[in-house]
Structures are given as C-alpha cells and as structure tokens.
Amino acid sequence: MSSDKRRVQFRASEKLIERADALATVLGTDRTDVLTDALQEYLRDAAHDDRLTQEIAGAYYDDDIEFEELKALVGPEEAANFRVLKRQLDESLTDELAEL
C-alpha cells in the first residue's frame, strides 16, 4: 500500500460509528484502521462481483472512468481484457458508420 495518504470526511450513522469504535477497541487499533480495512475489503470483493464488474466496465466503455481507474477497480488482467473489447467495439462502430 502506498504511503501517500489523503484525508477524507464522510457522514455515517451514529450506530455505525459506535460499532466501528467498539471493534477498534477489541482489536486494539483505531477507527481509521477499522474503516480503512473495511473499505479495502469492500473494494476487493466488488472486483469479484459480476454485476458490479459489468457496471464498472460500462463506465469505462462510456468514458466515465479512465483505464487506470478501471485497473485499480478490477485488476490489471481484467482491465486489459476490457480495453481490448472496448477497442473492438469502437472499431465495429466505426465500420458500421462507414457503411452508412
């Protein structure tokens, strides 16, 4: 993990924060570590969720996210596959438009 850190703020329910604080106490750590670990796990799991992966791919095909963002979300191998498919789709569209 990169040593570069960025401060973020967000709002969460009091109950969720209390649970994070309780877990931090049990683990002998702090809330930031608990929340960071939870976010990392969520993002790792999201990369293996087929429905979400397709939404991520759609965002890449629609140019809503860049290749580097795609790679960070789904991993380099899957991102490379999506890039190849996007190029094929772009070429197909170009060919179809040329035929009109």
Side-chain angles (χ1 to χ4, degrees):
M1 181 178 192
S2 172
S3 63
D4 295 337
K5 295 190 179 192
R6 186 173 174 185
R7 183 176 195 84
V8 296
Q9 292 180 322
F10 65 95
R11 296 187 188 281
S13 70
E14 188 172 333
K15 190 167 196 107
L16 181 62
I17 297 303
E18 287 172 358
R19 290 176 66 197
D21 288 343
L23 183 57
T25 299
V26 169
L27 297 175
T29 188
D30 61 28
R31 178 191 305 159
T32 297
D33 287 340
V34 169
L35 296 175
T36 301
D37 290 348
L39 182 57
Q40 287 175 339
E41 185 174 336
Y42 176 82
L43 293 172
R44 188 172 38 252
D45 290 348
H48 300 291
D49 179 309
D50 291 337
R51 182 191 55 78
L52 188 52
T53 299
Q54 291 306 311
E55 287 186 41
I56 293 166
Y60 175 63
Y61 297 149
D62 292 340
D63 296 321
D64 293 333
I65 62 173
E66 299 292 324
F67 180 74
E68 289 303 313
E69 294 168 304
L70 174 70
K71 191 166 62 170
L73 291 169
V74 299
E77 186 175 318
E78 188 80 18
N81 291 336
F82 287 138
R83 180 166 46 190
V84 168
L85 182 56
K86 181 178 181 182
R87 286 181 181 159
Q88 290 173 343
L89 292 170
D90 288 346
E91 289 171 8
S92 295
L93 179 61
T94 302
D95 292 345
E96 285 180 32
L97 292 174
E99 292 175 5
L100 294 176

